[in-house]
Amino acid sequence: MARIIAFRDALREAMSEEMRKDQNVFLMGEEVAEYNGAYKVSQGMLDEFGPKRIIDTPIAELGFTGIAVGAAQNGLRPIVEFMTWNFAVLAMDQILNTASKMLAMSGGQISCPIVFRGANGSAGQLGAQHSTAFESYYANIPGIKVISPSNPYDAKGLLKAAIRDNDPVVFMESEVMYGEKGEVPEEEYIIEIGKADIKRPGTDVTIVSFNKMMKVALGAAAELEKEGISAEVIDLRTIRPLDWYTILESVKKTNRLVIVEEQWPMCGVSAEIAYRIQKEGFDYLDAPIRRITAADAPLHYAPNLVAAALPDVPRTVKLVQEVMYMKK
């Protein structure tokens, strides 16, 4: 039976359910305990699980991430909350040089079952230093799985899978989606990591996106429907491993592909998808693969510049019209 709950509540349920099941799971990060979480994701968890499992940390990302990685290598299953992934840059040494590499460096003897999670990407007028989308950064690292969900149902099912996974998992949320609501079953469920989801079937063009840019993709599909264009919309959900096969099967049907992502264009997720699909599906394409990304510049504070820099529905619709050869 499904209920309508907020994105933050879905995340909290996932963590709490896994903590009740496994005493080795614990949460640590800035303001996760006494303050109930910067975005209230961990609200009430300190009361249930106590200060040994819901741990407030100093403002020292490199330090507390190192503690968590060490704990993971010694049999515990930490969840590390970063107030924003922009701050996690300070902990990149532990994520890249230790968590992702230890299984290989130890010849398979030492695993690192850990989840790094927190807010990612732009959240309005927060300035350049708080507005970067980081999926492609972490997806570039072998040994790490990268998840970037777009709704409460996927967030809960994928976070539970991430906590149970024996590899390091980077879990990208969106600050602007924490209050958004959606259907989430009361009964337990898990979503397999590495599987994209077709959110809207279609026949004329494939639109691929993830995280909060799914709103743009679905919004564009709704506008295109008014023009008689049937867009198939695919939510990647997981960036690494990348389910490019689902995209390929869609392109075999629609013969056109448009990708919407919040990141900068250079070396982005869309670039990897475009390469994979042209390599494996070149004969199925009736138009060049096109993409819309954030502007290739730091995100400024002014709201008009934020709007100009990020993908939106009108520009996505125009791009689809171009690959349909309706406009130039």
Side-chain angles (χ1 to χ4, degrees), residues 45-195:
M45 291 180 70
L46 175 63
D47 293 337
E48 179 175 356
F49 298 105
K52 289 187 176 180
R53 297 183 69 196
I54 308 295
I55 304 167
D56 276 331
T57 66
I59 304 173
E61 282 78 9
L62 176 59
F64 67 72
T65 303
I67 292 169
V69 169
Q73 292 173 355
N74 282 278
L76 299 179
R77 305 185 80 89
I79 306 166
V80 176
E81 177 175 310
F82 296 118
M83 195 175 291
T84 160
W85 276 99
N86 295 272
F87 302 161
V89 171
L90 295 159
M92 186 62 134
D93 178 51
Q94 287 296 332
I95 298 170
L96 168 61
N97 274 327
T98 307
S100 73
K101 297 176 179 176
M102 192 51 62
L103 190 67
M105 291 171 64
S106 66
Q109 296 178 80
I110 303 173
S111 62
C112 192
I114 186 169
V115 176
F116 306 102
R117 50 158 293 269
N120 174 62
S122 165
Q125 293 178 263
L126 295 178
Q129 292 178 323
H130 294 70
S131 301
T132 306
F134 284 95
E135 281 92 349
S136 62
Y137 282 68
Y138 292 96
N140 189 245
I141 303 171
I144 284 182
K145 294 172 181 173
V146 179
I147 297 170
S148 192
S150 68
N151 60 81
Y153 175 85
D154 288 350
K156 182 177 180 181
L158 286 164
L159 184 53
K160 285 172 72 72
I163 294 166
R164 296 184 189 188
D165 202 283
N166 287 324
D167 292 317
V169 179
V170 162
F171 200 92
M172 303 285 196
E173 299 149 20
S174 169
E175 187 176 335
V176 299
M177 291 199 303
Y178 283 127
E180 291 190 359
K181 295 183 177 181
E183 282 194 3
V184 177
E186 289 183 4
E187 58 272 20
E188 183 176 70
Y189 67 99
I190 300 283
I191 296 175
E192 182 181 353
I193 295 172
K195 298 292 183 185

Side-chain angles (χ1 to χ4, degrees), residues 266-278:
M266 187 71 174
C267 305
V269 174
S270 59
E272 178 66 19
I273 293 171
Y275 165 74
R276 295 281 186 102
I277 300 306
Q278 69 79 29

Side-chain angles (χ1 to χ4, degrees), residues 38 45 72 74 208 226 229 249 260 321:
M45 291 180 70
N74 282 278
V208 174
K226 298 173 185 176
I229 298 172
E249 289 303 302
V260 185
Q321 290 169 337

Side-chain angles (χ1 to χ4, degrees), residues 264-266 293-298 309:
W264 294 314
M266 187 71 174
T293 69
D296 194 16

